[in-house]
């Protein structure tokens, strides 16, 4: 695969003045079969060659610690079938769409979702490439369509019609899920076997001519050089089956793929046939769909490369190549996932998300990850990153031995007929610091294959203080969330303190990005002292009193109308949950407001909350012989202690201290009665109460 050097940097320097280093940007050679296909006078039907030649998948794909069985069939894996009966495409052309939807269906069944057939019609009608239904397609077109959040749809939602029909609009209601993490596997039998065992089946292609089909034993073998013309899927294998000689050559060894066809159950062996491992195409260029995505986690996709990867560009091997892309959200949206292609197997990927159109606000840095197969990947962003307006994604592609690692959409008018964006939204770089613009108005007329998936947040009902949820005391309320919550204008916030110790006090929050996604509660005091306990995620909490019990004061900006009673970020060293202990001076019958916010740059999570109406004093337990007059454990006790449990007065375990711990020097919550349980090495124990000043 010799790269063509299409562009030289020296020319660019003259015209744009961009600083670039001395490396040239190169582009991968197109697949000659594909170019021949495009230039062919005849309209062909069936399977369209891929625009690029798939790199060979390296060895090293064995299932760890296992060898492959000599026979495997996803129609019967210990009595379970992941495969639905072969369908009939009726006309020539949609084979690729039947194969892709059969493979996605099998992968969903393998994951335990038995939802029936998926719709090839949605693929054939809505792929946005230039081909009509009868003109065919390929697996990459299915990948690109699914990556656009078009399908996979239930068969019932978009039923198959063999006529040429228009794309109909679908919604998430029509889809069981989204699908991603598509592995491209080339010429590696073990990797294909692994993919079948992991995912039920894989999509591949073949050259079909009845001359090479043996109707007696339903076997097939073609080892010539004619172009592929049919898309199929593989559901299993048999290492021992021999393909009989039909007069066109015999494979050198036994072994067949169990191939699912889409010509009805009357073809072959109930719709299946058996193709030699040595066939020119079958099992060589394979697509496995490995990831099911909960459709409720994604609402939108931002992308320029609507047709996905058709080529790759970049710099020479062992140099990082960066792609940078800018999108603009239409409302406040949460970044749910980043979608990207890799061309070469074992490409190392790292990406960054910046808020805004410059680099001043880095919001996310991914782990560097070596992706074993070329293909399409969707990497979930679990951190709560909300964007309103511009944001940028930078992806670094790195490969030690391969060049041109940045997947792009190159335009082929007779294939994808792509709209290439103008400059200003896409760039590439060899340094990650100086950027070469891409665009229809530049020398680099292509789109980057980087997608951003977002979800539209749905703020909780108690996002605003006026909508605070009324809680009763002494009741544990489960399953509140601050996900998608917002900050109101002039919303109150406790003081921050940069000292680490401030995380544990009862009057401030640690400074970790400020107020980000608060929700509100209120209660009517039934005692002058309360504990307020939250559990579930890294949050921060504050208790507020307001004149006339009026919620509006807390967003008025008028500090004389409200008062902070207590605030906490981390209830203990080992526990990032926030809680308020022993808050005193409440007025029975008055309403108090509780603010719960995500800590550490706006964490989101599910949590429980409980307001404990506690007695004002608890009886002291006997501490004689255990504590020194200074309030420290005596040496005799320290020598006996194995470990120490610390509880709050409600009996909740706050933390565990190791032997030789000092009570007074520990980071136990202050100004709060604690229950200290001393566990001795001989199995005995003592319990004392403890108030740290
Ligand atoms: Ca809020
Ligand atoms: Ca916290």
């Amino acid at each position: 695969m010799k790269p063509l050097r299409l562009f030289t940097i020296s020319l660019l320097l003259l015209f744009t003045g961009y600083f670039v280093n001395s490396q040239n940007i190169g582009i991968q050679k197109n697949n000659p079969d594909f170019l021949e296909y495009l230039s062919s006078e005849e309209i062909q039907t069936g399977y369209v060659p891929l625009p690029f030649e798939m790199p060979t998948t390296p060895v090293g794909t064995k299932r760890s610690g296992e060898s492959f069985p000599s026979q495997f069939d996803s129609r019967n894996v210990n009595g379970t079938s992941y495969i639905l009966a072969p369908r009939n495409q009726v006309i020539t052309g949609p084979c690729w769409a039947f194969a892709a939807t059969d493979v996605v269906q099998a992968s969903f069944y393998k994951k335990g979702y038995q939802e029936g057939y998926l719709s090839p019609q949605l693929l054939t009608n809505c792929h946005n490439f230039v081909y009509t239904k009868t003109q065919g397609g390929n697996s990459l077109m299915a990948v690109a369509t699914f990556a656009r959040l078009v399908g996979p749809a239930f068969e019932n939602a978009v039923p198959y019609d063999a006529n040429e029909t228009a794309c109909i609009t679908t919604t998430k209601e029509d889809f069981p899920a989204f699908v991603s993490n598509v592995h491209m596997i080339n010429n590696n039998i073990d990797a294909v076997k692994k993919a079948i065992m992991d995912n039920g089946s894989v999509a591949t292609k073949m050259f079909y001519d009845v001359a090479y089909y043996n109707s007696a034993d339903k076997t097939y073998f073609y080892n010539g050089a004619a172009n592929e013309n049919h898309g199929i899927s593989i559901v299993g294998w048999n290492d021992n089956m021999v393909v009989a000689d039909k007069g066109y050559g015999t494979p050198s060894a036994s072994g067949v793929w169990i191939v699912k066809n889409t010509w009805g159950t009357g073809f072959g062996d109930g719709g299946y046939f058996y193709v030699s491992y040595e066939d020119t195409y079958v099992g060589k260029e394979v697509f496995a769909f490995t990831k099911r995505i909960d459709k409720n986690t994604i609402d939108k996709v931002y992308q320029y490369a609507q047709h996905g990867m058709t080529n790759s560009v970049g710099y020479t091997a062992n140099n990082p190549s960066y792609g940078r892309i800018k999108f603009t959200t239409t409302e406040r949206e949460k970044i749910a996932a980043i979608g990207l292609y890799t061309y070469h197997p074992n490409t190392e990927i790292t990406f960054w998300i910046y808020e805004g159109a410059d680099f001043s606000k880095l919001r996310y840095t991914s782990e560097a990850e070596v992706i074993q197969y070329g293909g399409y990947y969707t990497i979930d962003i679990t951190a709560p990153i909300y964007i309103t307006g511009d944001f940028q994604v930078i992806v670094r592609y790195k490969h030690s031995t391969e060049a041109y690692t940045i997947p792009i959409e190159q335009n082929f008018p007779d294939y994808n007929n792509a709209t290439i964006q103008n400059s200003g939204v896409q760039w590439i770089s060899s340094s990650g610091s100086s950027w070469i613009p891409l665009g229809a108005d530049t020398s680099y007329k292509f789109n980057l294959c980087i997608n951003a998936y977002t979800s539209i947040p749905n703020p909780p009902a108690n996002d605003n203080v006026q909508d605070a949820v009324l809680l009763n005391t002494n009741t544990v309320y489960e399953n509140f969330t601050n996900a998608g919550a917002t900050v109101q204008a002039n919303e109150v916030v406790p003081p921050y303190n940069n000292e680490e110790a401030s995380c544990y006090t009862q009057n401030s929050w640690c400074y970790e990005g400020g107020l980000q996604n608060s929700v509100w509660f209120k209660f009517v005091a039934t005692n002058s002292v309360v504990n307020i306990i939250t559990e579930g995620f890294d949050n921060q909490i504050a208790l507020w009193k307001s004149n006339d019990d009026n919620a509006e004061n807390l967003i008025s900006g008028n500090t004389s109308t409200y008062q902070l009673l207590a605030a906490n970020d981390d209830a203990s060293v080992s526990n990032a949950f926030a809680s308020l202990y022993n808050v005193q001076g409440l007025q029975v019958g008055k309403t108090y407001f509780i603010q719960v916010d995500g800590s550490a740059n706006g964490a989101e999570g599910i949590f429980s909350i409980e307001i404990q109406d506690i007695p004002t004093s608890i009886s002291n337990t006997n501490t004689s012989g255990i504590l020194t007059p200074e309030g420290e454990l005596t040496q005799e006790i320290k020598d006996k202690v194995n470990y120490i449990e610390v509880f709050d007065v409600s009996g909740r375990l706050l933390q565990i201290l190791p032997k030789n711990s000092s009570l007074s020097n520990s980071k136990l919550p202050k100004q709060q009665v604690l229950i200290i349980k001393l566990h001795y090495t001989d199995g005995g124990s003592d319990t004392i109460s403890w108030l740290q000043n």
Side-chain angles (χ1 to χ4, degrees), residues 538-539 569-570 576 599:
D538 185 1
N539 61 344
D569 197 325
D570 301 330
S599 188

Side-chain angles (χ1 to χ4, degrees), residues 289-308:
F289 292 79
T290 70
K291 182 177 180 179
R292 178 186 167 101
I293 299 173
D294 178 351
K295 64 182 178 181
N296 296 315
T297 63
I298 292 176
D299 291 309
K300 284 186 187 176
V301 58
Y302 289 93
Q303 61 174 186
Y304 300 122
Q306 302 253 320
H307 307 90

Side-chain angles (χ1 to χ4, degrees), residues 116-307:
Y117 288 109
L118 299 175
S119 168
Q121 175 90 357
L122 185 71
L123 282 180
T124 58
N125 290 20
C126 304
H127 56 59
N128 279 3
F129 289 71
V130 299
Y131 302 115
T132 63
K133 189 179 282 177
T134 54
Q135 287 171 344
N138 59 42
S139 298
L140 264 185
M141 290 167 54
V143 175
T145 307
F146 294 148
R148 259 195 305 124
L149 302 181
V150 176
F154 294 112
E155 170 64 20
N156 291 342
V158 191
Y160 186 59
D161 180 339
N163 297 302
E164 291 289 358
T165 47
C167 175
I168 63 164
T169 303
T170 44
T171 68
K172 283 204 274 187
E173 296 301 307
D174 301 315
F175 310 153
F178 296 123
V179 67
S180 187
N181 290 22
V182 182
H183 298 173
M184 301 191 308
I185 303 166
N186 189 18
N187 208 11
N188 184 322
I189 287 180
D190 282 353
V192 175
K193 286 180 172 176
K194 180 180 188 308
I196 293 167
M197 291 183 83
D198 290 347
N199 305 291
S201 69
V202 297
T204 189
K205 64 180 185 179
M206 69 184 301
F207 170 74
Y208 186 86
D209 185 320
V210 71
Y212 303 93
Y213 174 63
N214 187 332
S215 59
D217 59 5
K218 324 299 182 196
T219 58
Y220 189 91
F221 173 54
Y222 175 71
N223 66 349
N227 273 4
E228 61 269 53
N229 62 5
H230 188 41
I232 47 175
S233 61
I234 307 176
V235 303
W237 66 85
N238 183 345
D239 289 343
N240 304 319
M241 186 181 275
V242 175
V243 177
D245 189 356
K246 264 211 86 183
Y248 297 101
T250 314
S252 65
S254 63
V256 295
W257 299 115
I258 304 171
V259 171
K260 182 183 185 184
N261 206 354
T262 50
W263 296 342
T265 52
F267 170 82
D269 186 359
Y272 297 84
F273 61 128
Y274 309 99
V275 183
S276 167
Y277 291 157
E278 295 175 31
D279 185 88
T280 300
Y281 294 111
V282 175
K284 303 303 189 300
E285 187 180 282
V286 160
F287 288 79
F289 292 79
T290 70
K291 182 177 180 179
R292 178 186 167 101
I293 299 173
D294 178 351
K295 64 182 178 181
N296 296 315
T297 63
I298 292 176
D299 291 309
K300 284 186 187 176
V301 58
Y302 289 93
Q303 61 174 186
Y304 300 122
Q306 302 253 320
H307 307 90

Side-chain angles (χ1 to χ4, degrees), residues 55-64 182-186 188 190-192 194-195 198 290 342-349 369-375 377 399:
T56 302
T57 304
V59 293
T61 46
K62 274 240 180 345
R63 293 158 68 85
S64 61
V182 182
H183 298 173
M184 301 191 308
I185 303 166
N186 189 18
N188 184 322
D190 282 353
V192 175
K194 180 180 188 308
D198 290 347
T290 70
T342 53
Y343 176 72
H344 299 288
N346 296 322
T347 301
E348 183 191 289
I349 292 294
E369 184 183 358
V370 175
I371 298 186
Q372 187 180 6
Y373 299 103
Y377 295 88
H399 202 291

Side-chain angles (χ1 to χ4, degrees), residues 452-519:
Y453 297 94
T454 67
S455 62
I456 311 299
N458 192 10
N462 58 338
D463 184 12
N464 295 334
V465 65
Q466 300 94 318
D467 301 317
V469 172
L470 180 65
L471 303 178
N472 292 320
T473 55
N474 299 317
T475 307
V476 180
Y477 293 88
E478 306 274 3
N479 289 322
F480 281 108
T481 180
N482 73 326
T486 62
V487 176
Q488 292 175 270
N490 291 321
E491 181 169 338
V492 289
V493 59
Y496 295 109
N497 195 322
N498 287 320
E499 300 298 317
E500 191 201 347
S502 73
C503 302
Y504 313 110
T505 69
Q506 297 281 289
N507 50 36
S508 65
W509 289 352
C510 318
Y511 187 74
E512 295 170 311
L515 192 61
Q516 306 235 343
N517 42 21
S518 61
V519 288

